[in-house]
Amino acid sequence: MDMPEELQALLRNLCLDRQEIDTRLAFLDWNPADAARLQQAGGDFTAVHQQFVEQLYEHLGQFATPATLLQGTGVTERLKHSQFDYYQRMWQGGHDADYIHDRLRIGWVHDKVGLELKWYLGGYRLYLHNLLQAMLGTHPAADLCASLLKAVFFDMTLTIDAYTAAQRLALESSDARYARALRGANDGLWDWHVERDHLYLSERWASMLGLTRDQLGEGRAGWFARVHPEDLPALRLAIQQHLNGHSDSLRQQYRIRHREGHYLWVLVRGVVSLDERGGQRLAGSQSDISRQKHSEQHLQQAARHDPLTGLGNRLRLQELLLQAQQRRARPGAREAALLFIDLDRFKLINDSLGHAVGDQVLVAVSQRLGRCLRPGDYLIRFGGDEFVVLLDDLAAGDLAALALPGSARFRRTAALQLSSPRLRNAMRQAPDMIMIGEIRDRETMEHAIAYSETGHFCVSTLHAANSSQALKRVINFFPEDMHTQLRMDLSLNLQGII
């Protein structure tokens, strides 16, 4: 008969090898003569055994617990037959592996059906009492032996109960500590038998998603079906790499769908092990890290955006420019350009009306400029009173067409509807300048940004405007030779100083 996997695990856990069995027999002073005596007299007690089996089950039926387990004529008759076979085999005196496994299987079955050990030991006491009566008859020592057996077996049940209770308390204490630690960590547990695709998910694991364990099923399909489609390939890959021995442990962040439809960020951790048959089992915990993720996203947002206007900042511009450069490297890509917008004399507003009003102007300007952009364009607050617009997906002639029409458009944008007459007058006194730089390669892009930071655009443009007495609001192109010319100017100035 094939042993259930759980019973096989029990046998391995007991470590009941041949040496341990021999040690136990030696302690009982068992020897071959004992086996010979039992074998010789065994046949004389066949009728006694049959009679005792009937008496035993009649006696057990008088107590509620065993009587409940013995309901049904078929069950009782099968047990009687098995009990009689056991007595016959015991009197053969052998203790081979089959005999040991059969006795352990009986104990395992009794535990599974809920038969406490005291009933099992009590049955042995009745068996020995019955045999003593058969062997000793009315001998004066028979009653004494029967009384002694009752006392000994009663003490045995108490001692065994104490052992069992102590082990149960130790286990409960360990489980309680573990449960408290889990509650403190707020983690859910999972255990996946890979080959059999049997998945255990704890109540806490399921409750993170607003579900029960039954709603998730007992296979990986219930788990993976709720993983965000963008995150599922990475999760599968991380699991497979760990199962293949390419990582010490499983550790992966991903999104999983809640019962109400939104996604949670979770961190799954696990370690693979082998079961008694060499099958892989992957077990670990899962933590809800949504708050942590939201905090990280908020910090990333804050690091890349201006707190006053909500626009992207220089760091965000660098990211966008890199993306634009990568797009331009593709065959057939369209043009891209930067518009550098400067509000001249903005310091006048801060000095005369205060920084609070100056902030209002910056917010209003950013809102107005934003409404002038096409979908896909980006407005950046470059710093102070400077703004940058990234124009992407431009046709070849769009750059030239930006100048005059763009000038009027952005001039109208700067005409803010503000309540303060002084502020409106200040805005009229504050010219704005727009410089256009075409993005052709990384070097040109970096030069354009560098010169905007140092103010060379403003100096060059305002100088040209003042010399020709043109409009104060000007749009100009960033010439490619500006970098070379400015380096020459700087070299001449340094020579004069030295």
Side-chain angles (χ1 to χ4, degrees):
M1 179 185 297
D2 293 336
M3 288 187 296
E5 182 178 332
E6 187 176 350
L7 178 57
Q8 295 181 22
L10 175 64
L11 294 176
R12 286 188 295 271
N13 186 61
L14 285 173
C15 299
L16 201 59
D17 56 14
R18 190 68 241 180
Q19 181 179 358
E20 173 63 18
I21 293 173
D22 291 342
T23 300
R24 295 189 183 193
L25 291 173
F27 183 74
L28 296 173
D29 201 19
W30 178 268
N31 57 66
D34 295 313
R37 281 191 288 268
L38 289 175
Q39 291 174 7
Q40 184 178 1
D44 299 335
F45 289 90
T46 300
V48 175
H49 288 153
Q50 291 177 338
Q51 181 181 5
F52 172 71
V53 169
E54 296 295 332
Q55 293 176 354
L56 173 63
Y57 281 89
E58 182 180 353
H59 187 66
L60 290 173
Q62 299 175 15
F63 299 88
T65 300
T68 302
L69 299 175
L70 296 175
Q71 291 180 353
T73 305
V75 174
T76 303
E77 291 302 320
R78 186 173 66 252
L79 291 175
K80 287 180 179 180
H81 180 75
S82 176
Q83 193 77 21
F84 176 78
D85 288 344
Y86 160 63
Y87 291 141
Q88 294 295 98
R89 188 175 184 184
M90 182 178 65
W91 279 72
Q92 296 302 312
H95 300 98
D96 57 12
D98 289 340
Y99 180 85
I100 300 298
H101 291 170
D102 183 67
R103 300 322 303 158
L104 293 175
R105 184 182 61 82
I106 293 298
W108 174 73
V109 170
H110 286 175
D111 180 73
K112 297 293 288 184
V113 301
L115 183 66
E116 296 177 80
L117 187 58
K118 63 183 180 182
W119 304 107
Y120 189 69
L121 293 176
Y124 272 107
R125 202 282 307 171
L126 293 172
Y127 173 71
L128 292 176
H129 175 75
N130 190 272
L131 287 182
L132 284 174
Q133 284 186 331
M135 289 186 292
L136 299 179
T138 59
H139 191 282
D143 291 339
L144 177 60
C145 288
S147 298
L148 181 60
L149 285 174
K150 294 175 184 178
V152 170
F153 272 87
F154 179 75
D155 289 352
M156 287 174 59
T157 59
L158 294 179
T159 303
I160 292 173
D161 284 344
Y163 273 109
T164 304
Q167 293 174 352
R168 184 171 60 249
L169 287 174
L171 180 60
E172 290 175 352
S173 178
S174 176
D175 289 345
R177 287 194 298 270
Y178 187 55
R180 287 193 295 269
L182 286 178
R183 287 196 299 270
N186 207 28
D187 289 350
L189 299 181
W190 58 277
D191 186 352
W192 179 32
H193 195 292
V194 180
E195 281 76 11
R196 291 187 295 168
D197 191 24
H198 184 273
L199 177 65
Y200 165 81
L201 300 173
S202 70
E203 288 292 349
R204 172 55 189 155
W205 199 104
S207 66
M208 288 183 188
L209 309 181
L211 301 171
T212 63
R213 290 173 53 192
D214 293 339
Q215 292 174 300
L216 289 164
E218 295 184 348
R220 69 180 184 275
W223 175 9
F224 290 170
R226 309 193 74 85
V227 177
H228 195 287
E230 295 178 0
D231 300 339
L232 183 57
L235 176 62
R236 288 183 180 273
L237 178 61
I239 291 175
Q240 193 59 49
Q241 286 181 335
H242 181 55
L243 293 177
N244 293 340
H246 298 154
S247 61
D248 295 332
S249 63
L250 169 66
R251 182 183 178 89
Q252 185 72 16
Q253 296 181 5
Y254 68 96
R255 288 164 291 178
I256 189 167
R257 189 175 71 255
H258 191 273
R259 177 174 60 89
E260 296 178 356
H262 61 277
Y263 282 89
L264 303 176
W265 273 102
V266 295
L267 169 63
V268 63
R269 288 165 289 199
V271 176
V272 67
S273 61
L274 300 180
D275 63 12
E276 57 278 355
R277 294 187 175 181
Q280 289 184 314
R281 297 188 67 161
L282 189 58
S285 63
Q286 182 160 283
S287 308
D288 184 350
I289 59 170
S290 299
R291 291 186 179 180
Q292 174 185 336
K293 274 292 183 179
H294 292 159
S295 298
E296 291 176 0
Q297 292 171 357
H298 177 74
L299 291 175
Q300 293 175 357
Q301 175 79 4
R304 290 165 171 78
H305 290 78
D306 172 44
L308 175 63
T309 62
L311 300 177
N313 58 17
R314 296 189 183 196
L315 179 59
R316 179 58 177 156
L317 176 61
Q318 292 285 353
E319 296 174 346
L320 294 172
L321 288 175
L322 181 59
Q323 296 171 11
Q325 181 190 9
Q326 293 172 345
R327 285 193 296 272
R328 289 207 71 241
R330 299 170 185 168
R334 289 159 66 88
E335 303 293 336
L338 290 176
L339 271 63
F340 294 87
I341 304 172
D342 180 74
L343 303 179
D344 293 330
R345 300 182 186 176
F346 179 73
K347 186 174 182 297
L348 176 63
I349 299 176
N350 282 335
D351 292 344
S352 60
L353 300 176
H355 289 276
V357 175
D359 289 346
Q360 294 179 34
V361 172
L362 291 174
V363 172
V365 168
S366 67
Q367 294 173 349
R368 290 291 183 105
L369 291 176
R371 289 197 290 269
C372 295
L373 302 182
R374 307 167 305 160
D377 294 337
Y378 291 93
L379 177 62
I380 301 293
R381 185 184 177 194
F382 200 63
D385 56 3
E386 298 171 336
F387 296 85
V388 173
V389 178
L390 172 60
L391 300 174
D392 203 358
D393 195 30
L394 296 173
D398 287 348
L399 282 175
L402 280 172
L404 292 178
S407 175
R409 186 179 189 186
F410 282 102
R411 285 174 58 191
R412 290 194 300 271
T413 297
L416 306 176
Q417 300 297 323
L418 300 175
S419 58
S420 170
R422 294 178 60 197
L423 182 55
R424 288 198 299 270
N425 181 63
M427 284 300 300
R428 285 193 294 269
Q429 298 297 321
D432 63 285
M433 179 277 295
I434 302 175
M435 178 70 73
I436 302 175
E438 183 181 3
I439 299 177
R440 296 186 177 178
D441 51 38
R442 185 175 183 86
E443 184 178 2
T444 303
M445 175 181 68
E446 292 176 349
H447 290 162
I449 295 175
Y451 291 127
S452 70
E453 291 178 341
T454 57
H456 286 108
F457 280 175
C458 183
V459 172
S460 173
T461 304
L462 290 183
H463 176 73
N466 292 334
S467 63
S468 61
Q469 296 184 356
L471 291 172
K472 293 180 179 179
R473 294 174 172 82
V474 184
I475 291 183
N476 210 348
F477 279 90
F478 171 66
E480 292 186 22
D481 59 352
M482 180 180 285
H483 174 58
T484 303
Q485 182 63 45
L486 288 175
R487 287 179 61 89
M488 294 177 59
D489 292 346
L490 178 60
S491 177
L492 293 174
N493 291 334
L494 289 176
Q495 289 178 6
I497 293 174
I498 295 174

